[in-house]
Amino acid sequence: MATLLRDTVSFSKQFNDAFPTIVFSAALCTFPAAISYLFLAYYGNAHKSEKPSTLPVPAVESWIPWIGKSVQLMRDPLTFIVESRRKYGPLFEMTTWGSKLIVATDPGMLMSLEHQCKDLNPSTSRVDAFRALTGIHNSERMTEVMGTRIMPVSSKILSPSGTLKSGLMETFNERLMYNFDVLTAELKANGPKTMRLSDFISYHLFCASTNSLFGPTFPFDSYPHYAVISSSIQILHSPMANWPFVARKARRARQGMIDALIKYTEDWWHNGGQIEGVSQLVGQSLIIMKEENLSIEEAAGSLLISLWGALFNVSAMTYWLTAQLLVDEKIYTNLREEAVDKHYMEAPLLESAALETLRTGSVPPPTRSVDADAEIVVDGKRYFFEKGSRIISEMSGYHYNPDVYADPHSFKSERFFDESLPRPKPFGEGHHFCRGMHLAKLEIKSFISHTLKHFSLKVVGSKELPKLKRAGLIPDVLGSDNITLEISLRD
Ligand code: HEM
């Protein structure tokens, strides 16, 4: 049916184009043909004004079939998106590995597409991502339960007022302080310590986030598994995930993490009662999973997905902000001074620097698949979206648009002192916008503020910002780390 519709649309367009020639020949032959010309000309025009013909989405030119510009997109999405947007406009299409990818680069576009078309589906890419992360092959059921039952609960708990009431930040900070006390004792005993910046950030954020979500009975010693998954996510997301020698370590770590989460849940799952200190978010999610008859493995997998969702982007953004302040003495000094006398929720420079981080940092773009041929209006033009295409909403074209943000490639910690400047949009939009955005911003700011209050940080060796690696379109910020940090106690 959909193909028939498309063929009909394309035939009617060809017919309209060729129409004058056809009718001119007929009119030469007979008078009735002239009558038919008048009739058809009227009908053709009336038809045209009733239903404007669709435009194809502007396509990125490439002379390599099947691969198209995939390599450029994967290697350096920022340059590719910014340049393509300049050349083709805010909506363009390209071929990647044989399939069509439509890139929407302006805020509001994904939301408008979703409002107009019910056949844009987030599930296909999620099912794949859930499978990669958990190793559970049949991840459709987990995806459905999370989307239909757990999401409404999360939306409520993670709303701005819900976040403040939830106690999530208190338990996050509690564990962060505990970890920093342990580190302080270690530095007092042994002097300064060197480590990779990503290890410092990832470990302490892991402990603080898991404590806030799962409570103190969470097996914090599972961190090494999380660290391996985090640094090999590109393998788990690729066909290499099934290659025994390449993926063995990553798959073991993934199973280790699932086993740890099963152990954490087991007693409650089989015997009921209470999990000590568990957040309302995780507590209610577990009750729903049980009601929906998920297995304990699926429940553990779903918890891992939630943890990943809550931690991955926060760690990446926190890394990016810390890296910026480590390579720029002025930002470091100013934020450090502010951290002493201002609470992280009321620190204007930290707020602005965090927004600048959200503008310049990379996030995996929201992805939708087009489940049926559709005609969708964008900026007053009606476009044809072919079934089977994928759409990504990639905000870097907007975040690096010099008409919106002057000198967009420079990291300016004070940029957002200008309140008239549009706020960055890394949290998605439409039906599936990020529910954790308020919590995320608080966590990033708390981490930076407490770190600067307690410790002195110094880069050992090169002060160059890392070149970002990617797993497909997923930025591997921590895996790209090239900064060695020397940490000591703040005088
Ligand atoms: C800087 C940190 C974060 C960034 C940049 C970020 C970004 C995003 C984006 C772009 C989406 C939309 C995905 C889509 O449309 O397919 C999303 C969805 C979501 N995020 Fe975040 N996120 C962050 C932190 C968090 C945190 C801390 C939590 C929870 C504790 C969270 C919970 C969620 C949830 C539940 C969704 C799914 C909404 C749905 O499917 O309806 N996020 N996030």
Side-chain angles (χ1 to χ4, degrees), residues 216-377:
T217 64
F218 180 82
F220 297 101
D221 58 1
S222 58
Y223 174 71
H225 295 312
Y226 180 84
V228 172
I229 301 175
S230 170
S231 63
S232 36
I233 190 66
Q234 61 272 53
I235 295 175
L236 294 172
H237 258 285
S238 73
M240 285 190 292
N242 298 320
W243 298 2
F245 293 110
V246 180
R248 183 181 286 160
K249 193 172 163 204
R251 284 165 51 171
R252 259 199 216 137
R254 184 171 68 182
Q255 195 53 49
M257 203 64 223
I258 296 279
D259 291 345
L261 284 161
I262 290 178
K263 207 159 152 233
Y264 162 77
T265 332
E266 208 161 41
D267 187 35
W268 175 86
W269 193 265
H270 298 301
N271 306 319
Q274 265 291 333
I275 302 177
E276 187 199 331
V278 68
S279 67
Q280 209 190 355
L281 191 62
V282 169
Q284 293 197 12
S285 302
L286 279 170
I287 292 171
I288 292 171
M289 291 180 214
K290 217 168 170 192
E291 278 170 11
E292 291 289 335
N293 292 320
L294 291 190
S295 66
I296 190 168
E297 285 78 13
E298 287 170 328
S302 305
L303 292 182
L304 177 55
I305 290 159
S306 302
L307 173 61
W308 186 264
L311 199 48
F312 181 78
N313 284 320
V314 170
S315 304
M317 289 291 178
T318 308
Y319 175 86
W320 191 233
L321 176 49
T322 318
Q324 297 289 347
L325 64 88
L326 282 174
V327 299
D328 186 330
E329 192 78 25
K330 196 170 143 239
I331 304 180
Y332 175 69
T333 312
N334 292 345
L335 280 174
R336 211 166 177 241
E337 271 169 26
E338 192 186 62
V340 178
D341 33 77
K342 294 239 158 52
H343 187 268
Y344 67 89
M345 284 167 86
E346 281 142 22
L349 180 60
L350 182 57
E351 170 68 18
S352 172
L355 289 172
E356 182 69 335
T357 305
L358 294 170
R359 181 185 74 83
T360 51
S362 277
V363 288
T367 307
R368 306 287 181 266
S369 51
V370 181
D371 281 357
D373 285 349
E375 289 179 15
I376 308 182
V377 177

Side-chain angles (χ1 to χ4, degrees), residues 379-434:
D379 287 343
K381 293 180 195 145
R382 182 175 291 270
Y383 291 105
F384 178 70
F385 285 60
E386 193 178 354
K387 178 182 173 184
S389 315
R390 275 176 311 139
I391 301 176
I392 58 167
S393 168
E394 178 45 75
M395 282 303 116
S396 51
Y398 174 74
H399 288 153
Y400 283 82
N401 181 349
D403 296 337
V404 184
Y405 301 107
D407 190 9
H409 290 274
S410 302
F411 186 96
K412 297 185 177 175
S413 56
E414 295 174 7
R415 185 188 294 275
F416 288 95
F417 282 174
D418 176 354
E419 297 209 338
S420 67
L421 218 50
R423 306 289 107 169
K425 321 252 181 251
F427 293 109
E429 59 187 22
H431 299 321
H432 301 283
F433 75 91
C434 178

